[in-house]
């Protein structure tokens, strides 16, 4: 902590200014950490640079959005051309067709799609469409599932899951939301059965992202999907994190799933604000304002002022176009580095007799410190019972002492600008942290 | 219509592709118009350029966000520098302080603020905070008031106002929303009284934007504000459209209002995605995650992945900084041009014996064609009863024949790149349209 303070006097000054402007001094709750977050003024490739000139190898990567790293040349080049040609047309434009087409081509079920500006908007629209199409009201989500800050889905996100997500709710938002235990098919189906008659959709992340980097069991996903098909319920994969992260498109192809809708964000915006609702034509057509002329027919799926703005469309298209042409290299590389990181960390912690579980898939990974309360991580409840303070200490040490940045508590994302040396450095730094004794009061033999 | 089709064969082709991708071929419902919208591939200063090489003088101006026109040099220059330095830090950063400070300085009640990515998110957060602070549940909005596509405020937006805003709602969203008639203080107060005990806030646009470019009477706003102060209800001005549009800051200074919170968007993003919740410290502190450590205390005001991203912060700051240094020139110019446009159009329609009402304030204006059903425009209901088809025809003719673009039905916004010749051309074109007889079946003496 002292070392961090010594290295970040300018960040401290900026933070002092920042708390006078923003509640908690930040614009996103999770970006705060003690004693104060460092303030970034430059990012390039794999690095963040703070206002004190410190350099960090970034595994947070813009909330996991930056699969090509910060400001990759292929994106910068195209944005440089686009910026003097307009940042916000506010009209139909041809670049949005290019981004739409490349998404559609790589995700077969995205027969029709709608761009908006955030993931939170995308999931809100997806469930609105599901209610419109099924004429049923209940939305099912998983406990610990995170679909953004929209009021509709702010249920059972944070521990303790059964109480309201903060003050400022009416207490009635949950009347039409059913929360099921992640990765527990039997109990989930019992709960689904109890609301079956009014059940519009299940929305689920294939990997709990904010909830702790926990992949859903394939059989769990398949079981939920089958339940949906049997009961005229829509199955929605929220792939804001996983879309174009694990392969070029959706996990539905590699898992052999057939969702009715998919939500996207992050990567497909190429580092600029985006959300996307994709789905089968028969479903998405309820949002067509040309065919549905009145309120009794049309499902309002906005878009908003900034939807399909040419900067986001350009950044998103140039990112996907680049990956498309290099897809084998890209996913082979980052998925392999992910394996090396997970396995390397697992072996290391095991060698030192520390009870941890390194979760993740592909290029995403997170270390959980097990505790007396939990000895296996399968859902967000387990994560909440793990040793969160030790995780924060681990991440903080990586950042302060070794210039390796994970947002404390949050999973890391490997991008194509990371290499095996970075991963080795992460493992080496982790070993030094273990040896330093910072975490040692918990080391058991 | 034939002329438009002749001039836009490439747009037609793009539209044919677009309907295969997007419901209705667009990413925002209002961007569709018959027979198909033109597709923009470049915008600069006051002009939009479509894929057929047609050039339009733009009064839509990116949903009224672009007060300096498309891609102004002061913004382009700074974005060019920022783009290779990072588009999405995902962390605290110093540019957000600059934008926060200039907003705070110009809007005294914005003692604390939170950046998010869309106006729709900003209003959602504002009412969540109001509920949190007052511990009451009912939100009051005006009939025809438009606060974005969030589920919470999707009530009484479109005619007929009393039925649900489209399919896909549970039918219960309105349980805690009370809608009052815009500009009718007596009836509004009666309705407010009926829900007083559980009333958290009133949220109102100082000028109905999407609802038809109708300024609120100052006494109406003052009356609502007084009602709020008397009854421990928060008064929220939604200034997503009017903020920095009518003067350098909020209308609250010129109208001598003292709202508890203000929402911003559009202009303050400098052409990039933004939403802002501003408010008094005592109120906003409920969203401070450092002080409010648990769910029973904290009001979750997200921000989202893209909140305070350095591109938006840069574009917003360079826009406000430019205006700040030239504020007299900027507002004198655009407000005066607005007066010339409104007065010129009024005189013209009157000279031709056409019953219209040109509404607006400052640089915002819209012509309403009165009908047998309505002879004065004071609220969104009047707008719905006016001759909407004639308005669409008028705007379409301006676009197709004279290269002057208003999004059909929507108000126009003058930016600093417009000049008096543009306004004169608009008036001249309007006269030619009247004379052409396109609208003449309605001309009365």
């Amino acid at each position: 902590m002292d070392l961090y303070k010594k290295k970040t006097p300018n960040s401290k000054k900026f933070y002092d200014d920042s708390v006078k402007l923003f509640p908690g001094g930040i614009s996103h709750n999770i970006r705060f950490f003690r004693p104060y977050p460092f303030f970034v003024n430059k990012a390039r490739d794999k690095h963040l640079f703070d206002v004190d000139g410190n350099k960090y190898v970034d595994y947070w990567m813009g909330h996991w959005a930056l699969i090509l790293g910060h400001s990759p040349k292929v994106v910068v080049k195209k944005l440089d051309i686009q910026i003097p040609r307009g940042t916000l047309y506010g009209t139909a434009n041809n670049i949005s067709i290019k981004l739409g087409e490349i998404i559609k081509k790589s995700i077969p079920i995205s027969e029709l799609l709608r761009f908006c500006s955030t993931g939170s908007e995308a999931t809100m629209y997806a469930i609105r469409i599901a209610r419109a199409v099924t004429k049923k009201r209940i939305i099912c989500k998983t406990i610990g599932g995170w679909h953004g800050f929209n009021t509709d889905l702010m249920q059972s996100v944070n521990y303790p899951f059964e109480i309201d997500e903060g003050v400022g709710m009416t207490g009635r938002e949950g009347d039409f939301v059913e929360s099921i235990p992640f990765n527990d098919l039997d109990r989930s189906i019992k709960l689904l059965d109890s609301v079956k008659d009014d059940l519009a959709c299940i929305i689920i992340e294939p990997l709990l992202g904010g909830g702790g980097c926990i992949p859903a069991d394939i059989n769990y996903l398949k079981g939920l999907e089958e339940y949906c098909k049997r009961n005229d319920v829509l199955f929605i994969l929220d792939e804001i994190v996983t879309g174009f992260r694990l392969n070029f498109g959706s996990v539905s192809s590699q898992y052999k799933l057939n969702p009715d809708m998919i939500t996207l964000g992050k990567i497909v915006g190429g580092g600029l604000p985006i959300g996307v609702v994709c789905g089968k034509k028969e479903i998405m057509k309820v949002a067509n304002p040309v065919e549905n002329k009145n309120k009794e027919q049309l499902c309002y799926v906005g878009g908003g002022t900034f939807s399909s703005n040419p900067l986001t469309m350009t950044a998103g298209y140039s990112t996907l176009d680049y990956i498309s042409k290099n897809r084998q290299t890209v996913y082979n590389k980052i998925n392999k580095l992910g394996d090396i990181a997970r396995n390397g960390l697992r072996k290391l912690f095991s060698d030192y007799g520390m009870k941890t579980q390194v979760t993740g898939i592909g290029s995403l990974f997170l270390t959980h410190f097990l505790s007396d309360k939990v000895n296996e991580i399968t859902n967000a409840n387990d994560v909440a019972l793990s040793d969160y303070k030790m995780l924060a200490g681990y991440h903080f040490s990586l950042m302060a002492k070794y210039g390796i940045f994970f947002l404390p508590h949050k999973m890391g994302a490997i991008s194509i600008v990371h290499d095996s040396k970075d991963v080795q450095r992460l493992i080496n730094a982790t070993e030094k942290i273990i040896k330093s004794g910072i975490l040692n009061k918990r080391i058991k033999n």
Side-chain angles (χ1 to χ4, degrees), chain A residues 219-272:
Chain A
N219 286 334
Y220 182 63
L221 293 173
K222 281 191 194 297
L224 294 181
E225 180 177 299
E226 276 163 27
Y227 186 90
C228 287
K229 307 290 174 204
R230 257 199 327 271
N231 294 288
D232 276 328
V233 171
L234 299 193
F235 186 57
I236 306 173
L237 284 183
D238 179 355
E239 298 218 53
I240 290 169
V241 172
T242 55
F244 295 88
R245 165 59 67 186
L246 305 178
N247 64 38
F248 193 71
S250 154
V251 302
S252 57
S253 54
Q254 70 195 80
Y255 289 4
K256 304 219 182 319
L257 293 168
N258 183 20
D260 299 290
M261 298 174 81
I262 285 176
T263 50
L264 298 170
K266 301 197 192 272
I267 289 175
V268 299
L272 272 79

Side-chain angles (χ1 to χ4, degrees), chain A residues 182-184 207-217 346 355-360 365-388 391 409:
Chain A
F182 190 75
N183 273 342
D184 184 337
L207 166 124
L208 276 190
C213 192
I214 307 170
D217 296 336
R346 275 172 197 147
K355 286 176 70 181
T356 64
Q357 187 174 332
V358 184
T359 59
F365 65 105
L366 178 63
T367 300
H368 302 273
F369 293 84
L370 303 175
S371 70
D372 296 343
K373 294 179 199 152
V374 62
N375 57 28
E376 197 192 351
I377 302 289
T378 60
N379 58 40
N381 194 58
D382 299 334
V383 174
L385 298 178
S386 70
D387 195 332
Y388 232 50
L391 175 57
H409 297 127

Side-chain angles (χ1 to χ4, degrees), chain A residues 23-67:
Chain A
I26 31 75
S27 286
H28 195 311
N29 296 349
I30 60 175
R31 291 186 196 151
F32 175 82
F33 50 82
R34 291 191 184 279
Y36 50 81
F38 59 81
F39 278 65
V40 170
N41 74 354
K42 187 180 157 187
R44 192 67 198 250
D45 298 331
K46 66 187 169 197
H47 290 119
L48 291 174
F49 301 84
D50 72 16
V51 289
D52 290 284
N54 298 303
K55 183 169 149 181
Y56 306 84
V57 174
D58 185 15
Y59 288 92
W60 173 230
M61 275 294 163
H63 299 237
W64 321 308
L66 304 169
I67 195 168

Side-chain angles (χ1 to χ4, degrees), chain A residues 334-344 346 362-363 414:
Chain A
I334 64 172
N335 291 344
K336 194 176 156 198
L337 289 178
D339 282 336
I340 295 172
R342 277 184 298 272
N343 291 330
R346 275 172 197 147
S363 50
I414 288 165

Side-chain angles (χ1 to χ4, degrees), chain A residues 40-49 58 61-62 65-80 83 267 269-272 314-316 318-319 322 415-418:
Chain A
V40 170
N41 74 354
K42 187 180 157 187
R44 192 67 198 250
D45 298 331
K46 66 187 169 197
H47 290 119
L48 291 174
F49 301 84
D58 185 15
M61 275 294 163
L66 304 169
I67 195 168
L68 303 184
H70 290 279
S71 294
K73 274 188 198 137
V74 286
V75 175
V76 170
K77 210 171 60 186
K78 297 292 182 181
L79 285 178
D80 278 348
I83 281 178
I267 289 175
L272 272 79
T314 297
S318 50
T319 297
Y322 175 85
S415 86
I416 64 156
V417 290
H418 292 106

Side-chain angles (χ1 to χ4, degrees), chain A residues 38-277:
Chain A
F38 59 81
F39 278 65
V40 170
N41 74 354
K42 187 180 157 187
R44 192 67 198 250
D45 298 331
K46 66 187 169 197
H47 290 119
L48 291 174
F49 301 84
D50 72 16
V51 289
D52 290 284
N54 298 303
K55 183 169 149 181
Y56 306 84
V57 174
D58 185 15
Y59 288 92
W60 173 230
M61 275 294 163
H63 299 237
W64 321 308
L66 304 169
I67 195 168
L68 303 184
H70 290 279
S71 294
K73 274 188 198 137
V74 286
V75 175
V76 170
K77 210 171 60 186
K78 297 292 182 181
L79 285 178
D80 278 348
I81 297 167
Q82 183 57 45
I83 281 178
R85 297 175 65 95
T87 66
L88 177 60
Y89 298 149
T91 63
N93 62 72
N94 49 328
I95 317 173
S96 60
I97 296 179
K98 289 171 80 173
L99 181 57
E101 279 177 347
I102 200 166
I103 292 174
K104 181 172 175 170
K105 212 171 145 188
S106 45
I107 303 182
I109 76 108
S110 63
E111 295 171 357
L112 284 175
L113 40 93
R114 183 56 81 90
F115 290 121
C116 49
S117 295
T118 68
S120 183
E121 291 182 343
T123 58
M124 174 183 79
Y125 290 137
I127 62 167
R128 191 179 293 169
I129 290 171
R131 283 176 171 148
V133 169
T134 61
K135 298 186 170 61
K136 294 186 282 185
R137 293 177 298 179
I138 293 175
I139 306 301
C140 170
K141 74 180 283 292
T142 62
I143 295 168
W146 171 238
H147 308 286
F149 281 97
N150 67 66
T151 308
D152 312 68
L153 285 158
M154 281 285 285
Q155 295 291 322
S156 63
V157 176
N158 298 292
Y159 184 86
F161 303 104
E162 63 282 7
I163 68 168
D164 273 356
E165 291 302 316
V167 288
M169 309 299 251
T170 63
R172 299 284 288 281
E173 291 83 1
D175 287 1
F176 299 110
V177 178
E178 182 70 30
S179 298
I180 57 174
F182 190 75
N183 273 342
D184 184 337
L185 189 59
D186 290 343
R187 280 179 56 218
S188 292
I189 284 186
K190 265 180 209 149
L191 287 165
L192 291 170
D193 272 338
S194 71
V195 294
K196 193 165 60 178
D197 293 342
D198 200 17
L199 186 60
C201 67
I202 299 176
I203 181 164
I204 182 169
E205 300 163 280
L207 166 124
L208 276 190
C213 192
I214 307 170
D217 296 336
I218 297 182
N219 286 334
Y220 182 63
L221 293 173
K222 281 191 194 297
L224 294 181
E225 180 177 299
E226 276 163 27
Y227 186 90
C228 287
K229 307 290 174 204
R230 257 199 327 271
N231 294 288
D232 276 328
V233 171
L234 299 193
F235 186 57
I236 306 173
L237 284 183
D238 179 355
E239 298 218 53
I240 290 169
V241 172
T242 55
F244 295 88
R245 165 59 67 186
L246 305 178
N247 64 38
F248 193 71
S250 154
V251 302
S252 57
S253 54
Q254 70 195 80
Y255 289 4
K256 304 219 182 319
L257 293 168
N258 183 20
D260 299 290
M261 298 174 81
I262 285 176
T263 50
L264 298 170
K266 301 197 192 272
I267 289 175
V268 299
L272 272 79
I274 198 165
V276 197
V277 202

